């Protein structure tokens, strides 16, 4: 009996080895996409009648008269406009979509993990093949989601994650609004830090547990109880500690900031991007331009904060007049030539509606091409992976979308993406 068992074990091992071997030797799929129009976001022009050759997960060649290899899978998008997969630099995929963070207390981490799978899927199917996810209340739910997507357990965009929020105690990224004597589990107060050394310790810890970048909260927030978006939270010393410690591990820092002083503190500290940048003043705009700091301004979500019946009353109070001021400041920053990326704060508006922001970026001073560049080539530059995504170029990941019509004349066409490919695999057609 024992020997029979061993025979079975050996046999199944052999089957497994030959299967693994077959997989590694299988020829990579070659795909040819015929693109009626192709937006070249790097050169800022529209090309016609292009062929995109894809081998496995990568773009192999792009050109007007490429020969399509025999046996290649052919995808005819000759009636469509083809673009690189879009990138949202400010999402919260791994959090509940309730506007009130206290709702997190009603669910276990596992319940939240299951409940948020749909967020990732909706985002990818909307044409966003990559996101920079900038914080989660249950620390490391975002790391788990990123890895689940990468392993193919669930469907979603490529994610770059923060792991948690680094915030002062009671600050914009903290779980606030509870009685003083209610203790929180560690994952709900993970990133609280109250000195430069505590900030460094949090950065080290986040790096150790899989963060791709660091999110700091430089000022108060709209969507946090007991917070004032107009107040400064982290000091310049604490912000500098975050940037310096993150740089030791090759990571970049993004800073949430509404108040003008908090924005300038963050830019001077050397962050890669300022999130929201709501009340940025002329000095802040000049500083961002001079330092090459990206502004990641969520100028659409005001529509969802104001029109959602579930928005808590104190959040509406915080938000008063901030929305329109932010949009006017966006216009100023675009005019001044500051580097701009595309970030929506998705989660405030439903996941998968990210592209609605494009029309607002155009309304407030960008050309459609500039808005598309913010969500492709600029976003890849901000995240630090221009070699991997952000344009339809040989050598990059085959992250490709298509829309009907010409988004350079009507940017709202990006709200109805018809074709989505990520890493050579088709998710929507
Ligand atoms: Zn956010």
């Amino acid at each position: 009996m024992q020997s029979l068992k061993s025979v079975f074990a050996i046999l199944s091992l052999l089957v497994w080895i030959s299967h693994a071997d077959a997989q590694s030797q299988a020829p990579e799929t070659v795909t040819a996409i015929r693109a009626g129009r192709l937006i070249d976001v790097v050169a800022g022009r529209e090309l016609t009648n292009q062929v995109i050759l894809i081998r496995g997960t990568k773009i192999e060649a792009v050109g007007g008269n490429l020969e399509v290899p025999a046996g290649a899978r052919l995808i005819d998008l000759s009636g469509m406009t083809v673009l690189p997969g879009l990138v949202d630099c400010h999402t919260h995929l791994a959090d509940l979509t309730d506007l009130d963070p206290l709702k997190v207390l009603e669910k276990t981490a596992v319940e939240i993990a299951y409940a948020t799978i749909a967020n990732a899927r909706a985002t990818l199917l909307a044409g966003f093949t990559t996101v920079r996810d900038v914080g989660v209340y249950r620390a490391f739910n975002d790391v788990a989601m990123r890895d689940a997507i990468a392993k193919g357990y669930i469907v979603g965009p490529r994610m770059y994650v923060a792991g948690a929020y680094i915030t002062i105690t009671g600050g914009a990224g903290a779980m606030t609004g509870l009685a003083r004597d209610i203790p929180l589990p560690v994952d709900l107060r993970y990133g609280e830090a109250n000195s430069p050394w505590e900030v460094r310790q949090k950065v080290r810890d986040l790096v150790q547990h899989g963060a791709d970048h660091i999110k700091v909260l430089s000022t108060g927030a709209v969507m946090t109880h007991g917070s004032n978006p107009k107040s400064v939270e982290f000091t310049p010393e604490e912000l500098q500690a975050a940037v310096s410690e993150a740089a030791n591990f090759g990571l970049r820092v993004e800073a949430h900031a509404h108040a003008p002083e908090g924005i300038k503190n963050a830019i001077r500290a050397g962050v890669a991007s300022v999130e929201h940048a709501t009340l940025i003043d002329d000095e802040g705009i000049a500083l961002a331009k001079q330092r090459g700091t990206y502004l990641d301004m969520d100028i659409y979500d005001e529509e969802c904060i104001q029109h959602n019946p579930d928005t808590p009353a104190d959040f509406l109070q915080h938000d008063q007049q901030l929305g329109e001021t932010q949009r006017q400041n966006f216009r100023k920053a675009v005019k001044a030539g500051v580097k701009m990326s595309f970030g929506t704060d998705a989660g405030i508006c439903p996941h998968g509606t990210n592209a609605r922001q494009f029309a607002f970026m155009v309304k407030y001073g960008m050309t459609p091409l500039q808005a598309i560049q913010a969500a492709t080539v600029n976003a890849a530059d901000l995240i630090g992976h221009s070699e991997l995504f952000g344009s339809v170029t040989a050598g990059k990941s085959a992250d490709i979308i298509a829309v009907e019509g010409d988004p350079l004349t009507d940017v709202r066409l990006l709200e109805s993406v018809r074709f989505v490919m990520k890493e050579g695999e088709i998710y929507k057609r």
Side-chain angles (χ1 to χ4, degrees), residues 90 92 215 345:
H90 191 128
H92 300 281
K215 168 77 174 286
D345 215 351

Side-chain angles (χ1 to χ4, degrees), residues 266-326:
I267 297 172
R268 290 196 186 101
V271 301
S273 67
V274 175
E275 307 304 301
H276 314 296
T278 310
L279 300 172
I280 192 166
D281 58 14
D282 291 346
E283 190 188 13
I285 288 175
L287 259 180
K289 166 129 192 186
Q290 182 207 331
R291 299 289 299 259
T293 314
Y294 273 97
L295 298 185
D296 202 38
M297 297 177 74
D298 52 334
I299 61 168
Y300 176 75
D301 56 9
E302 170 77 0
E303 304 298 304
C304 301
I305 296 173
Q306 290 296 335
H307 299 130
N308 186 335
D310 297 329
T311 305
D314 52 337
F315 294 0
L316 283 176
Q317 184 115 32
H318 297 163
D319 190 54
Q320 257 173 14
Q321 284 137 25
L322 288 187
E324 186 52 29
T325 309
Q326 186 195 29

Side-chain angles (χ1 to χ4, degrees), residues 151-410:
K151 287 175 181 160
Y153 302 161
I154 62 170
V155 166
R158 176 187 298 109
M159 288 179 79
Y160 293 95
V161 303
Y165 297 110
I166 302 191
T167 178
I168 64 168
T169 296
M175 181 62 60
T176 57
L178 293 161
R180 186 73 183 85
D181 56 355
I182 293 180
L184 285 172
V186 68
D187 57 342
L188 289 177
R189 53 183 164 82
Y190 204 88
E192 289 183 19
N194 294 290
S195 70
W197 285 106
E198 282 189 14
V199 167
R200 285 184 187 271
Q201 188 261 330
K202 292 298 170 191
V203 171
R204 290 169 187 169
D205 206 87
L206 287 164
V207 170
Q208 180 70 28
H209 291 97
D212 299 304
H213 49 85
I214 297 296
K215 168 77 174 286
V216 294
L217 287 289
S218 179
T219 74
V222 172
M223 313 298 274
T224 307
H225 294 295
S227 188
N228 179 358
K230 293 181 181 167
S231 61
V232 166
E233 293 193 346
F234 272 135
T235 64
E237 294 80 3
E238 289 166 322
L239 295 169
Q240 284 154 18
V243 172
S244 144
E245 194 63 38
N248 289 346
F249 297 96
L251 268 52
R252 300 177 182 191
V253 176
E254 64 272 4
H256 155 110
H258 294 292
E261 281 313 308
I263 293 169
K264 288 182 279 192
N265 288 345
I267 297 172
R268 290 196 186 101
V271 301
S273 67
V274 175
E275 307 304 301
H276 314 296
T278 310
L279 300 172
I280 192 166
D281 58 14
D282 291 346
E283 190 188 13
I285 288 175
L287 259 180
K289 166 129 192 186
Q290 182 207 331
R291 299 289 299 259
T293 314
Y294 273 97
L295 298 185
D296 202 38
M297 297 177 74
D298 52 334
I299 61 168
Y300 176 75
D301 56 9
E302 170 77 0
E303 304 298 304
C304 301
I305 296 173
Q306 290 296 335
H307 299 130
N308 186 335
D310 297 329
T311 305
D314 52 337
F315 294 0
L316 283 176
Q317 184 115 32
H318 297 163
D319 190 54
Q320 257 173 14
Q321 284 137 25
L322 288 187
E324 186 52 29
T325 309
Q326 186 195 29
R327 290 167 180 176
Q328 295 306 335
N329 287 336
F330 175 88
R331 187 191 289 284
K332 277 192 196 171
V334 170
K335 207 170 165 202
V338 178
K339 286 193 199 171
M340 306 297 282
S341 50
F342 181 97
T344 63
D345 215 351
I348 291 183
C349 290
H351 295 281
T353 63
N354 319 52
R356 289 186 191 165
Q357 185 170 282
F358 284 112
F360 277 67
M361 294 168 95
V362 171
K363 184 177 172 190
Y364 289 92
M366 279 186 171
T367 63
L369 177 67
Q370 281 177 314
I372 291 167
Q373 286 171 324
T376 52
V377 65
N378 294 11
D381 180 45
L382 168 57
I383 295 172
H385 285 291
S386 298
E387 83 295 347
L388 187 60
F389 58 87
S391 65
V392 179
T393 314
K396 292 200 185 176
S397 176
D399 299 350
I400 294 168
I401 64 163
V403 297
E404 275 173 47
D406 186 357
L408 294 186
T409 16
D410 178 6

Side-chain angles (χ1 to χ4, degrees), residues 29 99 122 128 132 210 241 246 307 331 350 384 429:
T29 318
L99 289 186
F128 288 79
R132 186 183 64 163
H307 299 130
R331 187 191 289 284
R429 195 173 177 178

Side-chain angles (χ1 to χ4, degrees), residues 12 18 34 93 96 104 157 161 199 226 244 289 391 426:
S12 51
S18 64
R34 288 195 187 282
L93 296 188
L96 297 173
V104 170
V161 303
V199 167
S244 144
K289 166 129 192 186
S391 65
I426 298 169

